[in-house]
Amino acid sequence: AAGGWGMAGGAMVLGGAVVAPVLAVAGIAYAIHGSKALDKARDIRYEVNQAIEKMDVAKKQLLQVQIYADRIFDELTKIYKVFSLYFEKLKEINEIIKAGDEESINGISQETITCIENGTSLAAIMAKLISTPLFKLKRNTHGDVITDKSGQPEILLDEHGMQVLDHQGIEKVLNETHKGF
């Protein structure tokens, strides 16, 4: 049957006949495995692209926060330089009032009263600027701030899960601070 090649030729022909199906099955199995690996690689690429987009959004958000933080810091620094001129006098006056000596209290000059007014005004301006939230707070339909279980206000999140900056509120308080100063 092997055309005169004898047993060696027959074994070779039969061996080739067995190897071909084995190679075909191995090829199919490899193709299926490769297809799954390719699908998994596509899924991972999609997840990586989503993560990159989120990082880009976060980067823009952080840059906005940095800009506002710098502006607030600059305003506070400017105001504090002037406030510090009044601060020592305010502490002295506070001690006089705490002592309760009516004669000393009645002897406070108009200049000292002006110092008290200016110092407390500057302190109020700084307090308002410091206490203004950078981010919008969640509110219910009545406009009340929504709090979590521990009583802390909840911050409004955007579609990316990022905290929403309160641009209007910050701009308003910065303008008021500048005018008040």
Side-chain angles (χ1 to χ4, degrees):
W5 288 357
M7 288 178 66
M12 191 172 67
V13 170
L14 286 176
V18 171
V19 169
V22 168
L23 288 176
V25 169
I28 292 169
Y30 183 73
I32 291 170
H33 176 72
S35 176
K36 287 180 183 177
L38 185 59
D39 288 343
K40 187 171 183 168
R42 285 184 183 124
D43 290 344
I44 291 171
R45 179 177 58 191
Y46 175 77
E47 289 175 18
V48 167
N49 287 338
Q50 292 296 103
I52 289 170
E53 286 179 27
K54 285 182 181 179
M55 285 186 250
D56 286 341
V57 169
K59 180 180 176 182
K60 288 175 187 173
Q61 175 81 341
L62 289 173
L63 287 173
Q64 285 293 312
V65 170
Q66 182 66 49
I67 289 167
Y68 281 125
D70 289 344
R71 288 179 62 196
I72 291 167
F73 179 80
D74 291 344
E75 285 296 318
L76 286 172
T77 301
K78 229 179 356 181
I79 295 167
Y80 185 76
K81 283 180 183 176
V82 176
F83 175 75
S84 64
L85 301 173
Y86 293 100
F87 190 56
E88 288 304 317
K89 189 71 171 172
L90 289 171
K91 288 194 295 188
E92 289 173 17
I93 295 165
N94 185 51
E95 290 303 316
I96 291 171
I97 293 171
K98 278 175 40 179
D101 180 13
E102 283 191 41
E103 187 176 323
S104 295
I105 293 172
N106 291 333
I108 293 176
S109 68
Q110 183 57 43
E111 180 183 334
T112 302
I113 292 171
T114 302
C115 179
I116 293 170
E117 290 170 350
N118 291 343
T120 55
S121 293
L122 290 172
I125 290 170
M126 288 189 297
K128 184 172 183 179
L129 182 57
I130 291 168
S131 64
T132 300
L134 289 176
F135 303 102
K136 287 186 178 183
L137 302 176
K138 283 186 181 179
R139 297 184 182 276
N140 62 21
T141 54
H142 303 291
D144 301 324
V145 174
I146 298 172
T147 58
D148 61 17
K149 293 175 185 173
S150 65
Q152 296 297 314
E154 291 188 24
I155 296 175
L156 186 65
L157 302 178
D158 65 12
E159 66 274 6
H160 303 288
M162 302 294 299
Q163 297 174 336
V164 178
L165 273 168
D166 187 1
H167 296 283
Q168 291 174 326
I170 297 168
E171 287 297 335
K172 180 182 175 191
V173 78
L174 282 168
N175 288 333
E176 288 172 358
T177 297
H178 186 71
K179 288 177 185 174
F181 181 58

